[in-house]
Amino acid sequence: MKIIYHCYGGSHSSVMAAALHLGLLDKDRIPNETDLMAIPYFDKTNNADFGSIRFMGKDEYNNEVYVLGKKNMGDRYSNLLKGIAQILGEEEQLLAVNCMNRVNMFMKLGGFSSRKIGLVSLGRPVVVQGSRKAFLELVNLVEITRLRAMQMV
Amino acid sequence: MNILFLGTSGVHHALIAANIYLKKPVTDFNSIPDFANIALESSGFPIYVGQDKEDNQVYSLGAGSDIDMAQKSIEDLRNVLGYSTHDLVVKPVSVKGEKLLTLLNHIPASLGGRLWHRLIPALILKSQLKTMYRDISVK
């Protein structure tokens, strides 16, 4: 199965969710800045990455985990992806997960400053703070997703 | 093979383009099934339009203001699922005023849906039919 976590930029919440799913982040410990910056793609994407489905790794059940930035397309993008999988007869092979409902204001402001306008030194500490605040929310989302993936098999 | 006509709105110009491709009549927009069907558009799912002479399945899809981003995601997903251009081809459709069509789609039906979703888009697209016919025949 292919699991795609998506958010606005494919740079923070979706990347953290994918990292949690793959065990790159310990779900029992709130990460610090070093932990977060060690995750591939975390606060490192640019405008050219919007729309690209990027591979993060395989989980213990051999599910492939990806991340995607889809701007402000919301849940509609999940349906778009599901619709394409349906056309190809692979709807049972895709799980698209919108992470935006777990994103807080700090992540939005910090992410905008760091990624959109390039003020990394200003935005990164804010997005890291927001990511730490959202951590348990993302742990919950990933747990739900893992259960859904198991039910779909 | 599947052919997907992709536009900012899947129930306006992309749908007309798919119908032109299938050689269905499009001069009367009201006779096109699902034209200006905003509920269908807001679901985000591709809309099945028909089958061509080579048994290709033809769809229309609206992807909001950033068509390039949507095309990239769709093609990436196709590849991730192990398929190629032999299985799914994306044909972007562009017209003048396409971003306005996206904005109009967001106006609630209770504020005069027929005007915003059907009449104004029809006015915008009517004058561009010839260009669309020419573009589709090239594709």
Side-chain angles (χ1 to χ4, degrees), chain A residues 2 4 48 50-53 66 68-71 73 76-77 79-88 90 94, chain B residues 2 4 41-46 59 61-64 66 69-70 72-74 76-77 80-81 83 87-88:
Chain A
K2 325 290 180 190
I4 302 175
F50 281 120
S52 292
I53 298 176
Y66 297 84
L68 164 69
K70 47 84 199 268
K71 296 187 179 173
M73 287 289 287
R76 197 175 152 185
Y77 223 66
N79 290 346
L80 184 151
L81 298 172
K82 282 182 212 163
I84 298 303
Q86 264 175 19
I87 286 175
L88 294 168
E90 298 284 353
L94 178 72
Chain B
N2 299 285
L4 183 76
E41 169 73 1
S42 56
S43 77
F45 283 100
Y59 298 85
L61 177 63
D66 199 334
M69 179 181 79
K72 199 193 290 183
S73 296
I74 292 166
D76 275 4
L77 180 61
V80 159
L81 291 170
Y83 292 86
D87 307 294
L88 174 67

mmCIF file of all heavy atoms in Angstrom, chain A residues 2 4 48 50-53 66 68-71 73 76-77 79-88 90 94, chain B residues 2 4 41-46 59 61-64 66 69-70 72-74 76-77 80-81 83 87-88:
data_model
loop_
_atom_site.group_PDB
_atom_site.id
_atom_site.type_symbol
_atom_site.label_atom_id
_atom_site.label_comp_id
_atom_site.label_asym_id
_atom_site.label_seq_id
_atom_site.Cartn_x
_atom_site.Cartn_y
_atom_site.Cartn_z
ATOM 1 N N LYS A 2 0.337 2.308 -0.622
ATOM 2 C CA LYS A 2 1.041 3.600 -0.629
ATOM 3 C C LYS A 2 0.282 4.554 0.304
ATOM 4 O O LYS A 2 -0.941 4.724 0.147
ATOM 5 C CB LYS A 2 1.071 4.228 -2.027
ATOM 6 C CG LYS A 2 1.186 3.256 -3.184
ATOM 7 C CD LYS A 2 2.513 2.589 -3.280
ATOM 8 C CE LYS A 2 2.535 1.632 -4.479
ATOM 9 N NZ LYS A 2 3.730 0.782 -4.485
ATOM 10 N N ILE A 4 0.113 8.414 1.573
ATOM 11 C CA ILE A 4 0.601 9.761 1.260
ATOM 12 C C ILE A 4 0.093 10.734 2.319
ATOM 13 O O ILE A 4 -1.109 10.974 2.427
ATOM 14 C CB ILE A 4 0.145 10.218 -0.144
ATOM 15 C CG1 ILE A 4 0.631 9.239 -1.208
ATOM 16 C CG2 ILE A 4 0.660 11.631 -0.441
ATOM 17 C CD1 ILE A 4 0.126 9.557 -2.614
ATOM 18 N N ALA A 48 9.345 24.658 -5.981
ATOM 19 C CA ALA A 48 9.347 23.619 -7.025
ATOM 20 C C ALA A 48 8.847 22.285 -6.494
ATOM 21 O O ALA A 48 8.489 21.390 -7.269
ATOM 22 C CB ALA A 48 10.760 23.465 -7.587
ATOM 23 N N PHE A 50 6.110 21.824 -4.650
ATOM 24 C CA PHE A 50 4.655 21.718 -4.569
ATOM 25 C C PHE A 50 4.152 20.701 -5.600
ATOM 26 O O PHE A 50 4.527 20.756 -6.776
ATOM 27 C CB PHE A 50 3.979 23.069 -4.864
ATOM 28 C CG PHE A 50 4.007 24.027 -3.711
ATOM 29 C CD1 PHE A 50 4.635 25.256 -3.826
ATOM 30 C CD2 PHE A 50 3.388 23.714 -2.506
ATOM 31 C CE1 PHE A 50 4.661 26.147 -2.771
ATOM 32 C CE2 PHE A 50 3.409 24.602 -1.439
ATOM 33 C CZ PHE A 50 4.041 25.825 -1.567
ATOM 34 N N GLY A 51 3.337 19.777 -5.149
ATOM 35 C CA GLY A 51 2.746 18.804 -6.073
ATOM 36 C C GLY A 51 3.567 17.540 -6.245
ATOM 37 O O GLY A 51 3.049 16.538 -6.743
ATOM 38 N N SER A 52 4.841 17.570 -5.835
ATOM 39 C CA SER A 52 5.693 16.373 -5.987
ATOM 40 C C SER A 52 5.415 15.373 -4.861
ATOM 41 O O SER A 52 5.378 15.761 -3.692
ATOM 42 C CB SER A 52 7.179 16.743 -5.922
ATOM 43 O OG SER A 52 7.532 17.484 -7.049
ATOM 44 N N ILE A 53 5.229 14.119 -5.238
ATOM 45 C CA ILE A 53 5.022 13.067 -4.249
ATOM 46 C C ILE A 53 6.392 12.474 -3.934
ATOM 47 O O ILE A 53 7.019 11.854 -4.795
ATOM 48 C CB ILE A 53 4.041 11.993 -4.774
ATOM 49 C CG1 ILE A 53 2.674 12.650 -5.036
ATOM 50 C CG2 ILE A 53 3.904 10.851 -3.777
ATOM 51 C CD1 ILE A 53 1.636 11.730 -5.646
ATOM 52 N N TYR A 66 4.860 8.328 1.688
ATOM 53 C CA TYR A 66 5.237 9.492 0.885
ATOM 54 C C TYR A 66 4.734 10.773 1.547
ATOM 55 O O TYR A 66 3.825 10.727 2.378
ATOM 56 C CB TYR A 66 4.610 9.401 -0.511
ATOM 57 C CG TYR A 66 5.061 8.220 -1.339
ATOM 58 C CD1 TYR A 66 4.470 6.979 -1.198
ATOM 59 C CD2 TYR A 66 6.081 8.367 -2.283
ATOM 60 C CE1 TYR A 66 4.873 5.892 -1.963
ATOM 61 C CE2 TYR A 66 6.491 7.288 -3.053
ATOM 62 C CZ TYR A 66 5.883 6.055 -2.890
ATOM 63 O OH TYR A 66 6.292 4.993 -3.654
ATOM 64 N N LEU A 68 3.598 15.038 0.523
ATOM 65 C CA LEU A 68 3.161 15.884 -0.592
ATOM 66 C C LEU A 68 2.724 17.245 -0.069
ATOM 67 O O LEU A 68 2.033 17.329 0.937
ATOM 68 C CB LEU A 68 1.990 15.180 -1.308
ATOM 69 C CG LEU A 68 1.112 15.973 -2.251
ATOM 70 C CD1 LEU A 68 1.889 16.370 -3.504
ATOM 71 C CD2 LEU A 68 -0.107 15.147 -2.670
ATOM 72 N N GLY A 69 3.109 18.301 -0.769
ATOM 73 C CA GLY A 69 2.618 19.653 -0.481
ATOM 74 C C GLY A 69 1.590 20.028 -1.526
ATOM 75 O O GLY A 69 1.867 19.953 -2.718
ATOM 76 N N LYS A 70 0.396 20.434 -1.092
ATOM 77 C CA LYS A 70 -0.705 20.675 -2.049
ATOM 78 C C LYS A 70 -1.341 22.065 -1.866
ATOM 79 O O LYS A 70 -2.508 22.261 -2.212
ATOM 80 C CB LYS A 70 -1.751 19.560 -1.936
ATOM 81 C CG LYS A 70 -2.177 19.201 -0.504
ATOM 82 C CD LYS A 70 -3.250 20.105 0.027
ATOM 83 C CE LYS A 70 -3.372 20.084 1.536
ATOM 84 N NZ LYS A 70 -4.285 19.153 2.064
ATOM 85 N N LYS A 71 -0.590 23.007 -1.273
ATOM 86 C CA LYS A 71 -1.089 24.366 -1.003
ATOM 87 C C LYS A 71 -2.397 24.295 -0.217
ATOM 88 O O LYS A 71 -2.532 23.446 0.649
ATOM 89 C CB LYS A 71 -1.215 25.161 -2.301
ATOM 90 C CG LYS A 71 0.132 25.391 -2.984
ATOM 91 C CD LYS A 71 0.032 26.313 -4.167
ATOM 92 C CE LYS A 71 1.401 26.526 -4.791
ATOM 93 N NZ LYS A 71 1.324 27.281 -6.054
ATOM 94 N N MET A 73 -5.399 23.249 -0.924
ATOM 95 C CA MET A 73 -6.420 22.447 -1.608
ATOM 96 C C MET A 73 -7.272 21.588 -0.656
ATOM 97 O O MET A 73 -8.239 20.976 -1.098
ATOM 98 C CB MET A 73 -5.766 21.554 -2.662
ATOM 99 C CG MET A 73 -5.288 22.304 -3.886
ATOM 100 S SD MET A 73 -6.650 22.890 -4.903
ATOM 101 C CE MET A 73 -7.211 21.372 -5.645
ATOM 102 N N ARG A 76 -10.043 18.115 -0.571
ATOM 103 C CA ARG A 76 -10.340 17.875 -1.976
ATOM 104 C C ARG A 76 -9.165 17.155 -2.666
ATOM 105 O O ARG A 76 -9.370 16.363 -3.582
ATOM 106 C CB ARG A 76 -10.599 19.226 -2.639
ATOM 107 C CG ARG A 76 -11.291 19.116 -3.943
ATOM 108 C CD ARG A 76 -11.610 20.483 -4.477
ATOM 109 N NE ARG A 76 -11.637 20.391 -5.921
ATOM 110 C CZ ARG A 76 -11.784 21.404 -6.717
ATOM 111 N NH1 ARG A 76 -11.926 22.602 -6.240
ATOM 112 N NH2 ARG A 76 -11.794 21.237 -8.019
ATOM 113 N N TYR A 77 -7.960 17.448 -2.197
ATOM 114 C CA TYR A 77 -6.791 16.819 -2.825
ATOM 115 C C TYR A 77 -6.741 15.326 -2.519
ATOM 116 O O TYR A 77 -6.274 14.546 -3.344
ATOM 117 C CB TYR A 77 -5.497 17.512 -2.376
ATOM 118 C CG TYR A 77 -4.525 17.742 -3.510
ATOM 119 C CD1 TYR A 77 -4.840 18.616 -4.545
ATOM 120 C CD2 TYR A 77 -3.306 17.093 -3.562
ATOM 121 C CE1 TYR A 77 -3.962 18.836 -5.586
ATOM 122 C CE2 TYR A 77 -2.414 17.308 -4.606
ATOM 123 C CZ TYR A 77 -2.746 18.177 -5.614
ATOM 124 O OH TYR A 77 -1.871 18.394 -6.660
ATOM 125 N N ASN A 79 -9.357 13.476 -2.306
ATOM 126 C CA ASN A 79 -10.314 12.896 -3.260
ATOM 127 C C ASN A 79 -9.736 12.856 -4.671
ATOM 128 O O ASN A 79 -9.980 11.913 -5.422
ATOM 129 C CB ASN A 79 -11.625 13.686 -3.246
ATOM 130 C CG ASN A 79 -12.390 13.488 -1.956
ATOM 131 O OD1 ASN A 79 -12.084 12.582 -1.200
ATOM 132 N ND2 ASN A 79 -13.363 14.324 -1.699
ATOM 133 N N LEU A 80 -8.979 13.906 -5.011
ATOM 134 C CA LEU A 80 -8.341 13.922 -6.334
ATOM 135 C C LEU A 80 -7.406 12.709 -6.474
ATOM 136 O O LEU A 80 -7.459 11.984 -7.468
ATOM 137 C CB LEU A 80 -7.566 15.236 -6.490
ATOM 138 C CG LEU A 80 -6.884 15.544 -7.816
ATOM 139 C CD1 LEU A 80 -6.819 17.061 -8.024
ATOM 140 C CD2 LEU A 80 -5.478 14.975 -7.904
ATOM 141 N N LEU A 81 -6.604 12.477 -5.445
ATOM 142 C CA LEU A 81 -5.658 11.354 -5.488
ATOM 143 C C LEU A 81 -6.405 10.014 -5.504
ATOM 144 O O LEU A 81 -6.067 9.113 -6.274
ATOM 145 C CB LEU A 81 -4.696 11.413 -4.295
ATOM 146 C CG LEU A 81 -3.797 12.646 -4.208
ATOM 147 C CD1 LEU A 81 -3.042 12.676 -2.887
ATOM 148 C CD2 LEU A 81 -2.798 12.692 -5.367
ATOM 149 N N LYS A 82 -7.453 9.924 -4.649
ATOM 150 C CA LYS A 82 -8.244 8.680 -4.615
ATOM 151 C C LYS A 82 -8.905 8.433 -5.965
ATOM 152 O O LYS A 82 -8.991 7.293 -6.422
ATOM 153 C CB LYS A 82 -9.338 8.792 -3.545
ATOM 154 C CG LYS A 82 -8.861 8.584 -2.137
ATOM 155 C CD LYS A 82 -10.066 8.669 -1.182
ATOM 156 C CE LYS A 82 -9.666 9.232 0.162
ATOM 157 N NZ LYS A 82 -10.808 9.693 0.955
ATOM 158 N N GLY A 83 -9.387 9.516 -6.585
ATOM 159 C CA GLY A 83 -10.045 9.401 -7.886
ATOM 160 C C GLY A 83 -9.097 8.867 -8.951
ATOM 161 O O GLY A 83 -9.478 8.026 -9.773
ATOM 162 N N ILE A 84 -7.861 9.332 -8.931
ATOM 163 C CA ILE A 84 -6.869 8.855 -9.902
ATOM 164 C C ILE A 84 -6.573 7.370 -9.638
ATOM 165 O O ILE A 84 -6.496 6.562 -10.578
ATOM 166 C CB ILE A 84 -5.564 9.696 -9.817
ATOM 167 C CG1 ILE A 84 -5.838 11.164 -10.155
ATOM 168 C CG2 ILE A 84 -4.473 9.120 -10.723
ATOM 169 C CD1 ILE A 84 -6.466 11.419 -11.502
ATOM 170 N N ALA A 85 -6.451 7.018 -8.362
ATOM 171 C CA ALA A 85 -6.202 5.604 -8.025
ATOM 172 C C ALA A 85 -7.382 4.738 -8.478
ATOM 173 O O ALA A 85 -7.184 3.624 -8.980
ATOM 174 C CB ALA A 85 -5.971 5.465 -6.521
ATOM 175 N N GLN A 86 -8.606 5.261 -8.329
ATOM 176 C CA GLN A 86 -9.807 4.533 -8.777
ATOM 177 C C GLN A 86 -9.761 4.290 -10.282
ATOM 178 O O GLN A 86 -10.041 3.184 -10.753
ATOM 179 C CB GLN A 86 -11.063 5.359 -8.476
ATOM 180 C CG GLN A 86 -11.749 4.984 -7.180
ATOM 181 C CD GLN A 86 -12.917 5.909 -6.868
ATOM 182 O OE1 GLN A 86 -13.432 6.594 -7.736
ATOM 183 N NE2 GLN A 86 -13.307 5.927 -5.611
ATOM 184 N N ILE A 87 -9.417 5.342 -11.038
ATOM 185 C CA ILE A 87 -9.337 5.223 -12.497
ATOM 186 C C ILE A 87 -8.379 4.092 -12.886
ATOM 187 O O ILE A 87 -8.619 3.344 -13.823
ATOM 188 C CB ILE A 87 -8.863 6.568 -13.120
ATOM 189 C CG1 ILE A 87 -9.993 7.602 -13.063
ATOM 190 C CG2 ILE A 87 -8.378 6.385 -14.547
ATOM 191 C CD1 ILE A 87 -9.581 8.980 -13.544
ATOM 192 N N LEU A 88 -7.290 3.988 -12.123
ATOM 193 C CA LEU A 88 -6.272 2.975 -12.429
ATOM 194 C C LEU A 88 -6.591 1.622 -11.778
ATOM 195 O O LEU A 88 -5.802 0.686 -11.878
ATOM 196 C CB LEU A 88 -4.893 3.476 -11.977
ATOM 197 C CG LEU A 88 -4.364 4.699 -12.743
ATOM 198 C CD1 LEU A 88 -3.155 5.296 -12.048
ATOM 199 C CD2 LEU A 88 -4.025 4.331 -14.187
ATOM 200 N N GLU A 90 -6.738 0.995 -8.559
ATOM 201 C CA GLU A 90 -5.836 0.758 -7.423
ATOM 202 C C GLU A 90 -6.317 1.465 -6.159
ATOM 203 O O GLU A 90 -5.497 1.787 -5.292
ATOM 204 C CB GLU A 90 -4.420 1.261 -7.782
ATOM 205 C CG GLU A 90 -3.774 0.570 -8.958
ATOM 206 C CD GLU A 90 -3.257 -0.824 -8.638
ATOM 207 O OE1 GLU A 90 -3.283 -1.213 -7.457
ATOM 208 O OE2 GLU A 90 -2.854 -1.522 -9.577
ATOM 209 N N LEU A 94 -4.187 2.828 -1.976
ATOM 210 C CA LEU A 94 -3.806 4.206 -1.650
ATOM 211 C C LEU A 94 -4.522 4.700 -0.404
ATOM 212 O O LEU A 94 -5.730 4.545 -0.263
ATOM 213 C CB LEU A 94 -4.140 5.143 -2.822
ATOM 214 C CG LEU A 94 -3.825 6.615 -2.568
ATOM 215 C CD1 LEU A 94 -2.323 6.857 -2.575
ATOM 216 C CD2 LEU A 94 -4.498 7.508 -3.595
ATOM 217 N N ASN B 2 -6.598 5.606 -20.119
ATOM 218 C CA ASN B 2 -7.475 6.632 -19.566
ATOM 219 C C ASN B 2 -6.937 8.007 -19.968
ATOM 220 O O ASN B 2 -5.730 8.236 -19.918
ATOM 221 C CB ASN B 2 -7.494 6.527 -18.042
ATOM 222 C CG ASN B 2 -8.026 5.189 -17.574
ATOM 223 O OD1 ASN B 2 -9.225 4.934 -17.619
ATOM 224 N ND2 ASN B 2 -7.122 4.308 -17.143
ATOM 225 N N LEU B 4 -7.354 12.075 -19.172
ATOM 226 C CA LEU B 4 -7.902 12.985 -18.176
ATOM 227 C C LEU B 4 -7.712 14.429 -18.641
ATOM 228 O O LEU B 4 -6.577 14.891 -18.786
ATOM 229 C CB LEU B 4 -7.166 12.767 -16.848
ATOM 230 C CG LEU B 4 -7.635 13.569 -15.653
ATOM 231 C CD1 LEU B 4 -8.935 13.006 -15.089
ATOM 232 C CD2 LEU B 4 -6.574 13.559 -14.556
ATOM 233 N N GLU B 41 -18.143 19.135 -8.781
ATOM 234 C CA GLU B 41 -16.831 19.777 -8.844
ATOM 235 C C GLU B 41 -16.173 19.820 -7.466
ATOM 236 O O GLU B 41 -15.001 19.526 -7.320
ATOM 237 C CB GLU B 41 -17.001 21.198 -9.401
ATOM 238 C CG GLU B 41 -15.784 22.106 -9.296
ATOM 239 C CD GLU B 41 -14.679 21.742 -10.265
ATOM 240 O OE1 GLU B 41 -14.858 20.783 -11.053
ATOM 241 O OE2 GLU B 41 -13.620 22.396 -10.222
ATOM 242 N N SER B 42 -16.971 20.188 -6.451
ATOM 243 C CA SER B 42 -16.377 20.370 -5.127
ATOM 244 C C SER B 42 -15.971 19.037 -4.481
ATOM 245 O O SER B 42 -15.205 19.032 -3.527
ATOM 246 C CB SER B 42 -17.317 21.150 -4.211
ATOM 247 O OG SER B 42 -18.555 20.503 -4.147
ATOM 248 N N SER B 43 -16.463 17.922 -5.017
ATOM 249 C CA SER B 43 -16.046 16.628 -4.468
ATOM 250 C C SER B 43 -14.570 16.363 -4.750
ATOM 251 O O SER B 43 -13.894 15.699 -3.976
ATOM 252 C CB SER B 43 -16.883 15.497 -5.079
ATOM 253 O OG SER B 43 -16.445 15.197 -6.387
ATOM 254 N N GLY B 44 -14.070 16.899 -5.862
ATOM 255 C CA GLY B 44 -12.662 16.711 -6.204
ATOM 256 C C GLY B 44 -12.383 15.455 -7.017
ATOM 257 O O GLY B 44 -11.268 15.237 -7.472
ATOM 258 N N PHE B 45 -13.406 14.617 -7.199
ATOM 259 C CA PHE B 45 -13.200 13.378 -7.959
ATOM 260 C C PHE B 45 -13.274 13.638 -9.468
ATOM 261 O O PHE B 45 -14.026 14.515 -9.899
ATOM 262 C CB PHE B 45 -14.269 12.347 -7.584
ATOM 263 C CG PHE B 45 -14.026 11.670 -6.269
ATOM 264 C CD1 PHE B 45 -14.696 12.073 -5.129
ATOM 265 C CD2 PHE B 45 -13.113 10.632 -6.162
ATOM 266 C CE1 PHE B 45 -14.459 11.453 -3.908
ATOM 267 C CE2 PHE B 45 -12.879 10.002 -4.942
ATOM 268 C CZ PHE B 45 -13.553 10.413 -3.817
ATOM 269 N N PRO B 46 -12.530 12.873 -10.255
ATOM 270 C CA PRO B 46 -12.649 12.990 -11.715
ATOM 271 C C PRO B 46 -14.067 12.627 -12.165
ATOM 272 O O PRO B 46 -14.724 11.800 -11.542
ATOM 273 C CB PRO B 46 -11.634 11.965 -12.240
ATOM 274 C CG PRO B 46 -10.721 11.678 -11.112
ATOM 275 C CD PRO B 46 -11.521 11.869 -9.866
ATOM 276 N N TYR B 59 -12.079 11.338 -18.992
ATOM 277 C CA TYR B 59 -12.526 11.986 -17.754
ATOM 278 C C TYR B 59 -12.231 13.482 -17.803
ATOM 279 O O TYR B 59 -11.359 13.937 -18.548
ATOM 280 C CB TYR B 59 -11.782 11.400 -16.540
ATOM 281 C CG TYR B 59 -12.018 9.941 -16.296
ATOM 282 C CD1 TYR B 59 -11.273 8.971 -16.964
ATOM 283 C CD2 TYR B 59 -12.977 9.512 -15.377
ATOM 284 C CE1 TYR B 59 -11.474 7.613 -16.737
ATOM 285 C CE2 TYR B 59 -13.186 8.161 -15.145
ATOM 286 C CZ TYR B 59 -12.433 7.221 -15.819
ATOM 287 O OH TYR B 59 -12.633 5.885 -15.588
ATOM 288 N N LEU B 61 -11.467 16.754 -14.982
ATOM 289 C CA LEU B 61 -11.142 16.995 -13.569
ATOM 290 C C LEU B 61 -10.798 18.468 -13.347
ATOM 291 O O LEU B 61 -10.029 19.058 -14.102
ATOM 292 C CB LEU B 61 -9.949 16.115 -13.149
ATOM 293 C CG LEU B 61 -9.430 16.308 -11.717
ATOM 294 C CD1 LEU B 61 -10.486 15.947 -10.682
ATOM 295 C CD2 LEU B 61 -8.171 15.481 -11.478
ATOM 296 N N GLY B 62 -11.366 19.037 -12.301
ATOM 297 C CA GLY B 62 -11.026 20.401 -11.893
ATOM 298 C C GLY B 62 -10.060 20.347 -10.731
ATOM 299 O O GLY B 62 -10.252 19.589 -9.791
ATOM 300 N N ALA B 63 -9.009 21.176 -10.811
ATOM 301 C CA ALA B 63 -7.978 21.101 -9.776
ATOM 302 C C ALA B 63 -7.692 22.458 -9.145
ATOM 303 O O ALA B 63 -6.621 22.661 -8.575
ATOM 304 C CB ALA B 63 -6.708 20.504 -10.361
ATOM 305 N N GLY B 64 -8.623 23.404 -9.261
ATOM 306 C CA GLY B 64 -8.389 24.709 -8.650
ATOM 307 C C GLY B 64 -7.378 25.528 -9.430
ATOM 308 O O GLY B 64 -7.109 25.243 -10.599
ATOM 309 N N ASP B 66 -4.074 25.960 -9.367
ATOM 310 C CA ASP B 66 -2.722 25.533 -9.749
ATOM 311 C C ASP B 66 -2.742 24.207 -10.522
ATOM 312 O O ASP B 66 -2.583 23.125 -9.957
ATOM 313 C CB ASP B 66 -1.842 25.406 -8.499
ATOM 314 C CG ASP B 66 -0.360 25.426 -8.851
ATOM 315 O OD1 ASP B 66 -0.019 25.051 -9.995
ATOM 316 O OD2 ASP B 66 0.450 25.815 -8.000
ATOM 317 N N MET B 69 0.654 22.150 -10.558
ATOM 318 C CA MET B 69 0.871 21.356 -9.343
ATOM 319 C C MET B 69 0.046 20.067 -9.393
ATOM 320 O O MET B 69 0.555 18.982 -9.091
ATOM 321 C CB MET B 69 0.476 22.186 -8.116
ATOM 322 C CG MET B 69 0.628 21.448 -6.809
ATOM 323 S SD MET B 69 0.124 22.427 -5.380
ATOM 324 C CE MET B 69 -1.662 22.261 -5.465
ATOM 325 N N ALA B 70 -1.219 20.200 -9.801
ATOM 326 C CA ALA B 70 -2.098 19.022 -9.857
ATOM 327 C C ALA B 70 -1.586 18.020 -10.887
ATOM 328 O O ALA B 70 -1.577 16.809 -10.632
ATOM 329 C CB ALA B 70 -3.514 19.451 -10.192
ATOM 330 N N LYS B 72 1.454 17.562 -11.843
ATOM 331 C CA LYS B 72 2.648 16.914 -11.290
ATOM 332 C C LYS B 72 2.247 15.807 -10.308
ATOM 333 O O LYS B 72 2.769 14.690 -10.349
ATOM 334 C CB LYS B 72 3.504 17.970 -10.571
ATOM 335 C CG LYS B 72 4.946 17.552 -10.356
ATOM 336 C CD LYS B 72 5.665 18.461 -9.397
ATOM 337 C CE LYS B 72 5.940 19.841 -9.919
ATOM 338 N NZ LYS B 72 6.716 20.662 -8.936
ATOM 339 N N SER B 73 1.280 16.113 -9.417
ATOM 340 C CA SER B 73 0.837 15.116 -8.425
ATOM 341 C C SER B 73 0.219 13.897 -9.101
ATOM 342 O O SER B 73 0.474 12.756 -8.709
ATOM 343 C CB SER B 73 -0.200 15.718 -7.471
ATOM 344 O OG SER B 73 0.352 16.745 -6.718
ATOM 345 N N ILE B 74 -0.619 14.151 -10.102
ATOM 346 C CA ILE B 74 -1.307 13.046 -10.781
ATOM 347 C C ILE B 74 -0.296 12.149 -11.493
ATOM 348 O O ILE B 74 -0.358 10.922 -11.409
ATOM 349 C CB ILE B 74 -2.359 13.602 -11.773
ATOM 350 C CG1 ILE B 74 -3.495 14.284 -11.010
ATOM 351 C CG2 ILE B 74 -2.899 12.492 -12.669
ATOM 352 C CD1 ILE B 74 -4.392 15.152 -11.876
ATOM 353 N N ASP B 76 2.924 11.895 -10.813
ATOM 354 C CA ASP B 76 3.744 11.222 -9.793
ATOM 355 C C ASP B 76 2.989 10.024 -9.223
ATOM 356 O O ASP B 76 3.569 8.949 -9.046
ATOM 357 C CB ASP B 76 4.087 12.186 -8.646
ATOM 358 C CG ASP B 76 5.316 13.034 -8.941
ATOM 359 O OD1 ASP B 76 5.844 12.927 -10.059
ATOM 360 O OD2 ASP B 76 5.734 13.807 -8.064
ATOM 361 N N LEU B 77 1.691 10.225 -8.929
ATOM 362 C CA LEU B 77 0.889 9.134 -8.348
ATOM 363 C C LEU B 77 0.787 7.977 -9.337
ATOM 364 O O LEU B 77 0.901 6.804 -8.948
ATOM 365 C CB LEU B 77 -0.505 9.639 -7.961
ATOM 366 C CG LEU B 77 -1.432 8.585 -7.354
ATOM 367 C CD1 LEU B 77 -0.853 8.016 -6.057
ATOM 368 C CD2 LEU B 77 -2.827 9.149 -7.094
ATOM 369 N N VAL B 80 4.019 6.200 -9.092
ATOM 370 C CA VAL B 80 4.140 5.525 -7.798
ATOM 371 C C VAL B 80 3.321 4.235 -7.779
ATOM 372 O O VAL B 80 3.735 3.218 -7.216
ATOM 373 C CB VAL B 80 3.675 6.491 -6.667
ATOM 374 C CG1 VAL B 80 3.297 5.739 -5.402
ATOM 375 C CG2 VAL B 80 4.755 7.520 -6.359
ATOM 376 N N LEU B 81 2.147 4.272 -8.429
ATOM 377 C CA LEU B 81 1.280 3.087 -8.467
ATOM 378 C C LEU B 81 1.719 2.081 -9.533
ATOM 379 O O LEU B 81 1.084 1.042 -9.719
ATOM 380 C CB LEU B 81 -0.178 3.510 -8.707
ATOM 381 C CG LEU B 81 -0.853 4.252 -7.543
ATOM 382 C CD1 LEU B 81 -2.198 4.832 -7.965
ATOM 383 C CD2 LEU B 81 -1.032 3.335 -6.335
ATOM 384 N N TYR B 83 2.189 2.676 -12.957
ATOM 385 C CA TYR B 83 1.583 2.829 -14.278
ATOM 386 C C TYR B 83 2.371 3.864 -15.084
ATOM 387 O O TYR B 83 3.275 4.516 -14.559
ATOM 388 C CB TYR B 83 0.116 3.240 -14.141
ATOM 389 C CG TYR B 83 -0.740 2.137 -13.557
ATOM 390 C CD1 TYR B 83 -0.854 1.980 -12.178
ATOM 391 C CD2 TYR B 83 -1.402 1.224 -14.379
ATOM 392 C CE1 TYR B 83 -1.621 0.961 -11.632
ATOM 393 C CE2 TYR B 83 -2.159 0.201 -13.841
ATOM 394 C CZ TYR B 83 -2.269 0.070 -12.471
ATOM 395 O OH TYR B 83 -3.016 -0.947 -11.938
ATOM 396 N N ASP B 87 -1.195 4.076 -19.651
ATOM 397 C CA ASP B 87 -2.390 3.810 -18.842
ATOM 398 C C ASP B 87 -3.186 5.076 -18.534
ATOM 399 O O ASP B 87 -4.408 5.032 -18.435
ATOM 400 C CB ASP B 87 -1.981 3.167 -17.509
ATOM 401 C CG ASP B 87 -1.104 1.955 -17.722
ATOM 402 O OD1 ASP B 87 -1.595 0.970 -18.281
ATOM 403 O OD2 ASP B 87 0.093 2.019 -17.365
ATOM 404 N N LEU B 88 -2.491 6.177 -18.347
ATOM 405 C CA LEU B 88 -3.165 7.441 -18.011
ATOM 406 C C LEU B 88 -2.404 8.613 -18.615
ATOM 407 O O LEU B 88 -1.212 8.775 -18.367
ATOM 408 C CB LEU B 88 -3.249 7.611 -16.483
ATOM 409 C CG LEU B 88 -3.797 8.947 -15.981
ATOM 410 C CD1 LEU B 88 -5.280 9.107 -16.329
ATOM 411 C CD2 LEU B 88 -3.613 9.080 -14.468
#
